[in-house]
Amino acid sequence: LLEVRIVDLKPKPSGNPLYPGKTFGSNASAWWGFQYKNLSQAPNPREVVTIYEIDATGQRSWAQAVYNFRWTEQTTPDGKQHSTIDYPGIIVDHDKVEENMEALKGVRVPLRLHIGAMGLAPKEADIVNSIPPGYFGGNLDDRNVGIGTMMYYPVSVPGALFSAGDAHTAQGDSELNGTAIETSLVGTFQFVLHKKADLAGTILEGVNYPLLETPDAWIVHGFTFPNYLEALGPEAQTKIFQMSSLDPALKDCSTKLRDFLMNGMNLTEDEAYSLITVGSDFAITQVVDGNWGVHGIIPKIIFENREVKSKPTA
């Protein structure tokens, strides 16, 4: 297992001299979002981009909207027309959109700095779409993956090949409309390699999925397909976008949490399922990344008076 410790995350200040000490992020209510076919007002459907301002000096613990605008067809420098937000980083001609400067006036969004996509390379393919997550981690979009937490990933290729991106300043569980507040962060990470031989008899034995440890909880991650690359065959990276569902994601997550409790906390299966039901929480990680996710949270305080297995030494 590769343990990735997030030591620090900070907003990267804007390079524009007009905005010293500030940074900006965008939220796209986009066509791939869960809301897109559930809109009640005209025009329907529509895409909306909201621009947020964040204090990069650390003096303010919230983000605030600057303006929003409804997407109109944009033409990129290569001459291609984009009627929807169908490609990352499309340059927007602001003469073709109407900016609403009153968007979310008086609303403060608490900062939750976290990394949306962080993980290792899977062994099933040489080139992998960065959108769907899986057993290797990747685009989990779990808002809990922040400062002071540790992610554990199973290593499946030589060198592990860690990568990170998709930085967020705030997001709720599910990332419902398509994105978080997407921005740029500067991160400090520490890496600890746990050899397989050292995992036997520890709380991490048998972990073959992304496992998050926070100061207060253990969080396991489940998906529609734990390993979609293997399950769906040669066309997996296309099929996965048409086959996601929360039912199998919840089953996968609860099974992983059961096994984690049975192994790491020395519980029987009957004890594990009772504790899962009365003491843990399940949340929708995301419903926008192709392979939908559910995460299960078990508070550490529950085991304060019980002997549990220790972690392997770093």
Side-chain angles (χ1 to χ4, degrees), residues 37-162:
K37 296 182 180 179
N38 191 39
L39 298 170
S40 63
Q41 297 178 341
N44 188 351
R46 63 183 179 276
E47 295 180 297
V48 180
V49 176
T50 305
I51 303 300
Y52 287 85
E53 177 189 301
I54 301 101
D55 173 33
T57 68
Q59 297 181 24
R60 235 174 39 201
S61 60
W62 68 87
Q64 59 188 22
V66 183
Y67 62 89
N68 68 8
F69 62 88
R70 291 177 177 173
W71 186 264
T72 59
E73 185 172 81
Q74 299 293 319
T75 302
T76 46
D78 59 4
K80 293 183 179 179
Q81 294 181 320
H82 302 268
S83 58
T84 62
I85 307 172
D86 61 352
Y87 192 80
I90 297 173
I91 298 171
V92 175
D93 181 352
H94 283 257
D95 289 335
K96 294 183 178 180
V97 298
E98 182 177 347
E99 297 174 358
N100 170 26
M101 307 304 291
E102 299 300 313
L104 293 171
K105 282 294 182 184
V107 173
R108 295 178 175 181
V109 181
L111 296 184
R112 293 171 171 172
L113 305 184
H114 64 280
I115 304 296
M118 193 168 78
L120 311 185
K123 63 181 181 294
E124 288 79 10
D126 291 331
I127 298 175
V128 182
N129 190 316
S130 63
I131 296 176
Y135 75 90
F136 49 87
N139 196 21
L140 293 180
D141 282 323
D142 182 350
R143 65 173 180 83
N144 296 290
V145 184
I147 300 170
T149 67
M150 291 151 280
M151 282 293 303
Y152 300 90
Y153 301 101
V155 177
S156 57
V157 300
L161 303 182
F162 173 83

Side-chain angles (χ1 to χ4, degrees), residues 206-276:
V207 172
N208 60 357
Y209 51 85
L211 174 68
L212 175 63
E213 180 182 4
T214 76
D216 303 316
W218 291 96
I219 303 178
V220 305
H221 294 88
F223 310 98
T224 302
F225 293 93
N227 187 345
Y228 75 94
L229 292 168
E230 181 179 72
L232 300 181
E235 303 300 321
Q237 300 192 58
T238 301
K239 289 181 178 179
I240 187 59
F241 291 98
Q242 286 81 47
M243 300 183 68
S244 288
S245 171
L246 287 175
D247 287 355
L250 178 58
K251 183 177 181 179
D252 179 51
C253 184
S254 60
T255 299
K256 288 171 177 172
L257 185 52
R258 175 202 67 191
D259 293 347
F260 178 75
L261 293 174
M262 291 175 67
N263 171 64
M265 309 304 177
N266 299 311
L267 302 186
T268 67
E269 186 173 36
D270 293 339
E271 289 174 327
Y273 273 126
S274 179
L275 184 58
I276 285 172

